[in-house]
Amino acid sequence: MPRFATYRLRFRSPLHIGERGVGLEVSRTHIPADTLFGAVCSLWRELYGVDALHRDVLDWFTEGEPNAQPFALTSAFPYAGDVRFFPKPLGRLPNVTLADGDEKAFKRVRFVSERVFTTVVMGEPIAFQKQNCINGGVVWVTEEERDRLVRWTDDMSGDIVLWKVAVVPRVTLDRLTAASEIWHFGEVLMAQGTGLWFAIEFNHEHGEELTRRFEAVLRALGDTGIGGERGAGCGLFDVDGPTEEALPDVPEANRFVTLSPVCPKDVVELERLTGSGAAYELMPRRGWITSPEAMNLRRKMVWMFAEGSVLAGPSLPRAGCLVNVRPDVCPHDVWRYGVSFPVGLAATAGSSS
């Protein structure tokens, strides 16, 4: 199995990652790679300057060859202790056996443990066990992993709870009339000993200086916060790592599961990725620009394949690209990360749905 540098983020405050919803009451429980990349680029600029950001990172993605890109990274997914979680591969999984009446419980699962994920992508048979779903039924683990996670058992519910999503009421006052209006804010609270992990593959041709700068930016990001409501103290974290850890893979597979959002380069690549055997979810990527020149401007919206999507074609070269979501009134380009982080999928592991 290939091995990659892996970082763990231990949050010391609530986290808000914008999710599609009416307002701010919904939050994701993971950080998509494009959000992580955007936050890293913003801090890279603050620490090293605009020219260094283009020279070290952006120009390699937008103007260089695909194999010359300085790094590729996954989205940040939950972990608890030494158990990492992955997005559940989408589509029908013929190597997964379901008992009668378990279809709804299986559909509710959003994350699977590393052991389950490896078994699924390798195409090995596995039986879905509803009793091994934890955290409100959104995480599927093996029986052995459930025993290792028992210390996070909630005394009230008896369930293993690794994180909670809270909706907090807040009040805003009109500047002219002082009239109050209530609104709600969603935030993710991580239990002690849990957090988010992500893997990154550095291009060693860029030298050790690139890795050193990335780690400096990542640790600075932990003190400034990531996601929404950073001004209220949300999104602060400590960094552990890097550690070199393996990810499952099936070499020379003709389909792959992506661990990062993907924006196809062109129509030809789009048709290839959605070919035979593909099963995917589309998610809108939008939000605000945070640069000093364009504060309070909204980015153009772009649709990407979500993590866990099963896409057709070989894993390498990596599919996807950076996409410019600059609004017309913005004085500079605004780039969103849409490069795949592929895990090869065995031929017996899934089919289109």
Tab-separated table of all heavy atoms in Angstrom, residues 161 164-166 181 240 255 285 295:
chain	number	residue	atom	x	y	z
A	161	VAL	N	-20.204	8.140	20.974
A	161	VAL	CA	-20.363	9.477	20.402
A	161	VAL	C	-18.989	10.116	20.273
A	161	VAL	O	-18.339	10.407	21.278
A	161	VAL	CB	-21.286	10.347	21.273
A	161	VAL	CG1	-21.415	11.740	20.660
A	161	VAL	CG2	-22.656	9.695	21.421
A	164	LYS	N	-20.517	15.784	18.113
A	164	LYS	CA	-21.916	16.200	18.115
A	164	LYS	C	-22.050	17.469	17.276
A	164	LYS	O	-21.126	18.286	17.222
A	164	LYS	CB	-22.401	16.482	19.538
A	164	LYS	CG	-22.507	15.250	20.429
A	164	LYS	CD	-23.052	15.620	21.797
A	164	LYS	CE	-23.201	14.372	22.675
A	164	LYS	NZ	-23.705	14.710	24.027
A	165	VAL	N	-23.200	17.594	16.637
A	165	VAL	CA	-23.509	18.816	15.900
A	165	VAL	C	-24.558	19.576	16.695
A	165	VAL	O	-25.654	19.059	16.940
A	165	VAL	CB	-24.037	18.505	14.483
A	165	VAL	CG1	-24.364	19.813	13.747
A	165	VAL	CG2	-23.004	17.703	13.702
A	166	ALA	N	-24.204	20.772	17.142
A	166	ALA	CA	-25.103	21.585	17.955
A	166	ALA	C	-25.601	22.775	17.138
A	166	ALA	O	-24.861	23.321	16.319
A	166	ALA	CB	-24.385	22.073	19.206
A	181	GLU	N	-33.141	40.199	16.462
A	181	GLU	CA	-33.595	39.116	15.591
A	181	GLU	C	-32.765	37.878	15.908
A	181	GLU	O	-31.526	37.943	15.958
A	181	GLU	CB	-33.431	39.492	14.119
A	181	GLU	CG	-33.932	38.409	13.170
A	181	GLU	CD	-33.828	38.832	11.710
A	181	GLU	OE1	-33.373	39.967	11.454
A	181	GLU	OE2	-34.175	38.021	10.841
A	240	ASP	N	-0.806	17.486	15.046
A	240	ASP	CA	0.079	16.351	15.326
A	240	ASP	C	0.590	15.807	14.005
A	240	ASP	O	-0.154	15.690	13.036
A	240	ASP	CB	-0.682	15.251	16.072
A	240	ASP	CG	-1.055	15.655	17.482
A	240	ASP	OD1	-0.361	16.518	18.042
A	240	ASP	OD2	-2.063	15.137	18.001
A	255	ARG	N	-11.274	2.001	-12.039
A	255	ARG	CA	-12.121	2.945	-11.330
A	255	ARG	C	-11.425	3.315	-10.028
A	255	ARG	O	-10.547	2.599	-9.553
A	255	ARG	CB	-13.498	2.349	-11.013
A	255	ARG	CG	-14.373	2.101	-12.242
A	255	ARG	CD	-15.622	1.377	-11.832
A	255	ARG	NE	-15.287	0.141	-11.152
A	255	ARG	CZ	-15.991	-0.372	-10.151
A	255	ARG	NH1	-17.057	0.255	-9.717
A	255	ARG	NH2	-15.632	-1.502	-9.593
A	285	ARG	N	-19.903	24.173	-4.468
A	285	ARG	CA	-18.835	24.794	-3.680
A	285	ARG	C	-18.954	26.305	-3.865
A	285	ARG	O	-18.832	26.820	-4.969
A	285	ARG	CB	-17.451	24.307	-4.136
A	285	ARG	CG	-17.305	22.798	-4.175
A	285	ARG	CD	-17.580	22.167	-2.811
A	285	ARG	NE	-16.644	22.627	-1.818
A	285	ARG	CZ	-16.995	22.848	-0.537
A	285	ARG	NH1	-18.247	22.668	-0.151
A	285	ARG	NH2	-16.098	23.271	0.322
A	295	MET	N	-12.534	41.421	0.405
A	295	MET	CA	-13.285	40.966	1.569
A	295	MET	C	-14.779	41.200	1.350
A	295	MET	O	-15.194	42.211	0.783
A	295	MET	CB	-12.809	41.733	2.802
A	295	MET	CG	-13.261	41.137	4.111
A	295	MET	SD	-12.397	39.602	4.493
A	295	MET	CE	-10.778	40.216	4.943
